[in-house]
Amino acid sequence: MSLAGAALHGAPWKSAAVTGGAVAATSFGLGVILPGAASLTWALCLGVSLFALVAAVGAISRPGAGDRVTRQARSWALRHPWRFSLYPSLGAAALMYPVQLVIDGEGPFGAALDALQGGVAVYLITAVLALTMKGRGQSSLPPGR
């Protein structure tokens, strides 16, 4: 987990927050305008999911940027996308739990199950995107040249 945290050190947090907030506001706004019920819980959980996805993918999109430790951690994240994806997905699930518990009014077990489902979605999407970017962490030259 410390390597995944180090890889997320240089994540684009401002961009992730703006993206998550804009998507949450748009989702809730469209729910109010369009026919049907607007769900604040759905909008907030969608915003949290996109916040985690943008931060995770942005962190590993430039493996050569940052200090030596960050570069090595990002290279590790690209070589181990399934392990790296655990960190953002657990963070997303932890942020979704109070939203489900307080705003949606679910019990502690129902909120935990819904937050876990959201975390699994973030895990799978982040891992698949990291798999597609796996070639960015590899050098085109053989070692020693």
PDB file of all heavy atoms in Angstrom, residues 6-26:
ATOM      1  N   ALA A   6       2.638   6.230  -2.672  1.00  0.00           N
ATOM      2  CA  ALA A   6       3.723   7.026  -3.248  1.00  0.00           C
ATOM      3  C   ALA A   6       3.451   7.329  -4.713  1.00  0.00           C
ATOM      4  O   ALA A   6       3.784   8.416  -5.196  1.00  0.00           O
ATOM      5  CB  ALA A   6       5.047   6.287  -3.094  1.00  0.00           C
ATOM      6  N   ALA A   7       2.850   6.402  -5.425  1.00  0.00           N
ATOM      7  CA  ALA A   7       2.508   6.650  -6.830  1.00  0.00           C
ATOM      8  C   ALA A   7       1.449   7.733  -6.948  1.00  0.00           C
ATOM      9  O   ALA A   7       1.429   8.500  -7.906  1.00  0.00           O
ATOM     10  CB  ALA A   7       2.026   5.361  -7.487  1.00  0.00           C
ATOM     11  N   LEU A   8       0.569   7.827  -5.961  1.00  0.00           N
ATOM     12  CA  LEU A   8      -0.482   8.850  -5.972  1.00  0.00           C
ATOM     13  C   LEU A   8       0.007  10.193  -5.446  1.00  0.00           C
ATOM     14  O   LEU A   8      -0.758  11.148  -5.400  1.00  0.00           O
ATOM     15  CB  LEU A   8      -1.678   8.382  -5.146  1.00  0.00           C
ATOM     16  CG  LEU A   8      -2.531   7.296  -5.774  1.00  0.00           C
ATOM     17  CD1 LEU A   8      -3.528   6.754  -4.761  1.00  0.00           C
ATOM     18  CD2 LEU A   8      -3.243   7.830  -6.992  1.00  0.00           C
ATOM     19  N   HIS A   9       1.271  10.263  -5.062  1.00  0.00           N
ATOM     20  CA  HIS A   9       1.819  11.490  -4.471  1.00  0.00           C
ATOM     21  C   HIS A   9       1.639  12.698  -5.384  1.00  0.00           C
ATOM     22  O   HIS A   9       1.264  13.763  -4.942  1.00  0.00           O
ATOM     23  CB  HIS A   9       3.295  11.294  -4.121  1.00  0.00           C
ATOM     24  CG  HIS A   9       3.955  12.523  -3.600  1.00  0.00           C
ATOM     25  ND1 HIS A   9       3.642  13.048  -2.371  1.00  0.00           N
ATOM     26  CD2 HIS A   9       4.877  13.347  -4.147  1.00  0.00           C
ATOM     27  CE1 HIS A   9       4.368  14.140  -2.181  1.00  0.00           C
ATOM     28  NE2 HIS A   9       5.126  14.340  -3.248  1.00  0.00           N
ATOM     29  N   GLY A  10       1.900  12.536  -6.641  1.00  0.00           N
ATOM     30  CA  GLY A  10       1.822  13.651  -7.572  1.00  0.00           C
ATOM     31  C   GLY A  10       0.552  13.654  -8.406  1.00  0.00           C
ATOM     32  O   GLY A  10       0.559  14.137  -9.533  1.00  0.00           O
ATOM     33  N   ALA A  11      -0.519  13.101  -7.891  1.00  0.00           N
ATOM     34  CA  ALA A  11      -1.772  13.042  -8.646  1.00  0.00           C
ATOM     35  C   ALA A  11      -2.326  14.445  -8.862  1.00  0.00           C
ATOM     36  O   ALA A  11      -2.097  15.347  -8.052  1.00  0.00           O
ATOM     37  CB  ALA A  11      -2.794  12.188  -7.892  1.00  0.00           C
ATOM     38  N   PRO A  12      -3.058  14.634  -9.931  1.00  0.00           N
ATOM     39  CA  PRO A  12      -3.662  15.948 -10.186  1.00  0.00           C
ATOM     40  C   PRO A  12      -4.911  16.152  -9.319  1.00  0.00           C
ATOM     41  O   PRO A  12      -6.049  16.024  -9.779  1.00  0.00           O
ATOM     42  CB  PRO A  12      -4.002  15.883 -11.675  1.00  0.00           C
ATOM     43  CG  PRO A  12      -4.224  14.436 -11.945  1.00  0.00           C
ATOM     44  CD  PRO A  12      -3.272  13.712 -11.023  1.00  0.00           C
ATOM     45  N   TRP A  13      -4.708  16.484  -8.066  1.00  0.00           N
ATOM     46  CA  TRP A  13      -5.808  16.559  -7.103  1.00  0.00           C
ATOM     47  C   TRP A  13      -6.801  17.667  -7.438  1.00  0.00           C
ATOM     48  O   TRP A  13      -8.009  17.488  -7.268  1.00  0.00           O
ATOM     49  CB  TRP A  13      -5.270  16.726  -5.690  1.00  0.00           C
ATOM     50  CG  TRP A  13      -4.469  15.548  -5.255  1.00  0.00           C
ATOM     51  CD1 TRP A  13      -3.119  15.491  -5.058  1.00  0.00           C
ATOM     52  CD2 TRP A  13      -4.949  14.225  -4.997  1.00  0.00           C
ATOM     53  NE1 TRP A  13      -2.733  14.227  -4.702  1.00  0.00           N
ATOM     54  CE2 TRP A  13      -3.844  13.425  -4.647  1.00  0.00           C
ATOM     55  CE3 TRP A  13      -6.211  13.634  -5.037  1.00  0.00           C
ATOM     56  CZ2 TRP A  13      -3.961  12.084  -4.340  1.00  0.00           C
ATOM     57  CZ3 TRP A  13      -6.318  12.292  -4.724  1.00  0.00           C
ATOM     58  CH2 TRP A  13      -5.215  11.526  -4.377  1.00  0.00           C
ATOM     59  N   LYS A  14      -6.301  18.823  -7.896  1.00  0.00           N
ATOM     60  CA  LYS A  14      -7.225  19.915  -8.244  1.00  0.00           C
ATOM     61  C   LYS A  14      -8.106  19.517  -9.418  1.00  0.00           C
ATOM     62  O   LYS A  14      -9.318  19.747  -9.393  1.00  0.00           O
ATOM     63  CB  LYS A  14      -6.447  21.183  -8.576  1.00  0.00           C
ATOM     64  CG  LYS A  14      -5.834  21.853  -7.387  1.00  0.00           C
ATOM     65  CD  LYS A  14      -5.110  23.117  -7.794  1.00  0.00           C
ATOM     66  CE  LYS A  14      -4.373  23.713  -6.608  1.00  0.00           C
ATOM     67  NZ  LYS A  14      -3.622  24.921  -6.994  1.00  0.00           N
ATOM     68  N   SER A  15      -7.519  18.938 -10.431  1.00  0.00           N
ATOM     69  CA  SER A  15      -8.295  18.496 -11.593  1.00  0.00           C
ATOM     70  C   SER A  15      -9.304  17.423 -11.194  1.00  0.00           C
ATOM     71  O   SER A  15     -10.437  17.412 -11.677  1.00  0.00           O
ATOM     72  CB  SER A  15      -7.375  17.951 -12.677  1.00  0.00           C
ATOM     73  OG  SER A  15      -6.481  18.932 -13.103  1.00  0.00           O
ATOM     74  N   ALA A  16      -8.882  16.520 -10.322  1.00  0.00           N
ATOM     75  CA  ALA A  16      -9.783  15.460  -9.865  1.00  0.00           C
ATOM     76  C   ALA A  16     -10.948  16.039  -9.074  1.00  0.00           C
ATOM     77  O   ALA A  16     -12.099  15.627  -9.256  1.00  0.00           O
ATOM     78  CB  ALA A  16      -9.018  14.453  -9.015  1.00  0.00           C
ATOM     79  N   ALA A  17     -10.671  17.020  -8.214  1.00  0.00           N
ATOM     80  CA  ALA A  17     -11.742  17.636  -7.415  1.00  0.00           C
ATOM     81  C   ALA A  17     -12.710  18.421  -8.301  1.00  0.00           C
ATOM     82  O   ALA A  17     -13.933  18.350  -8.116  1.00  0.00           O
ATOM     83  CB  ALA A  17     -11.142  18.543  -6.352  1.00  0.00           C
ATOM     84  N   VAL A  18     -12.160  19.150  -9.268  1.00  0.00           N
ATOM     85  CA  VAL A  18     -13.025  19.917 -10.177  1.00  0.00           C
ATOM     86  C   VAL A  18     -13.888  18.970 -11.007  1.00  0.00           C
ATOM     87  O   VAL A  18     -15.088  19.191 -11.178  1.00  0.00           O
ATOM     88  CB  VAL A  18     -12.173  20.841 -11.074  1.00  0.00           C
ATOM     89  CG1 VAL A  18     -12.986  21.414 -12.214  1.00  0.00           C
ATOM     90  CG2 VAL A  18     -11.566  21.964 -10.247  1.00  0.00           C
ATOM     91  N   THR A  19     -13.284  17.904 -11.516  1.00  0.00           N
ATOM     92  CA  THR A  19     -14.034  16.940 -12.321  1.00  0.00           C
ATOM     93  C   THR A  19     -15.129  16.273 -11.497  1.00  0.00           C
ATOM     94  O   THR A  19     -16.280  16.185 -11.939  1.00  0.00           O
ATOM     95  CB  THR A  19     -13.099  15.866 -12.898  1.00  0.00           C
ATOM     96  OG1 THR A  19     -12.102  16.507 -13.690  1.00  0.00           O
ATOM     97  CG2 THR A  19     -13.855  14.858 -13.731  1.00  0.00           C
ATOM     98  N   GLY A  20     -14.790  15.795 -10.310  1.00  0.00           N
ATOM     99  CA  GLY A  20     -15.782  15.145  -9.458  1.00  0.00           C
ATOM    100  C   GLY A  20     -16.906  16.086  -9.060  1.00  0.00           C
ATOM    101  O   GLY A  20     -18.085  15.719  -9.093  1.00  0.00           O
ATOM    102  N   GLY A  21     -16.561  17.319  -8.697  1.00  0.00           N
ATOM    103  CA  GLY A  21     -17.586  18.285  -8.312  1.00  0.00           C
ATOM    104  C   GLY A  21     -18.474  18.681  -9.475  1.00  0.00           C
ATOM    105  O   GLY A  21     -19.697  18.802  -9.326  1.00  0.00           O
ATOM    106  N   ALA A  22     -17.876  18.888 -10.645  1.00  0.00           N
ATOM    107  CA  ALA A  22     -18.663  19.279 -11.817  1.00  0.00           C
ATOM    108  C   ALA A  22     -19.610  18.158 -12.246  1.00  0.00           C
ATOM    109  O   ALA A  22     -20.771  18.412 -12.584  1.00  0.00           O
ATOM    110  CB  ALA A  22     -17.735  19.653 -12.966  1.00  0.00           C
ATOM    111  N   VAL A  23     -19.122  16.941 -12.216  1.00  0.00           N
ATOM    112  CA  VAL A  23     -19.977  15.810 -12.603  1.00  0.00           C
ATOM    113  C   VAL A  23     -21.096  15.605 -11.590  1.00  0.00           C
ATOM    114  O   VAL A  23     -22.244  15.344 -11.967  1.00  0.00           O
ATOM    115  CB  VAL A  23     -19.134  14.533 -12.783  1.00  0.00           C
ATOM    116  CG1 VAL A  23     -19.996  13.297 -12.880  1.00  0.00           C
ATOM    117  CG2 VAL A  23     -18.267  14.663 -14.014  1.00  0.00           C
ATOM    118  N   ALA A  24     -20.793  15.750 -10.307  1.00  0.00           N
ATOM    119  CA  ALA A  24     -21.833  15.605  -9.288  1.00  0.00           C
ATOM    120  C   ALA A  24     -22.896  16.690  -9.441  1.00  0.00           C
ATOM    121  O   ALA A  24     -24.103  16.412  -9.377  1.00  0.00           O
ATOM    122  CB  ALA A  24     -21.216  15.658  -7.892  1.00  0.00           C
ATOM    123  N   ALA A  25     -22.464  17.934  -9.657  1.00  0.00           N
ATOM    124  CA  ALA A  25     -23.421  19.035  -9.817  1.00  0.00           C
ATOM    125  C   ALA A  25     -24.250  18.857 -11.089  1.00  0.00           C
ATOM    126  O   ALA A  25     -25.469  19.085 -11.076  1.00  0.00           O
ATOM    127  CB  ALA A  25     -22.672  20.364  -9.850  1.00  0.00           C
ATOM    128  N   THR A  26     -23.605  18.445 -12.166  1.00  0.00           N
ATOM    129  CA  THR A  26     -24.327  18.230 -13.422  1.00  0.00           C
ATOM    130  C   THR A  26     -25.326  17.090 -13.293  1.00  0.00           C
ATOM    131  O   THR A  26     -26.466  17.192 -13.758  1.00  0.00           O
ATOM    132  CB  THR A  26     -23.340  17.934 -14.565  1.00  0.00           C
ATOM    133  OG1 THR A  26     -22.422  19.021 -14.662  1.00  0.00           O
ATOM    134  CG2 THR A  26     -24.050  17.744 -15.878  1.00  0.00           C
TER     135      THR A  26
END
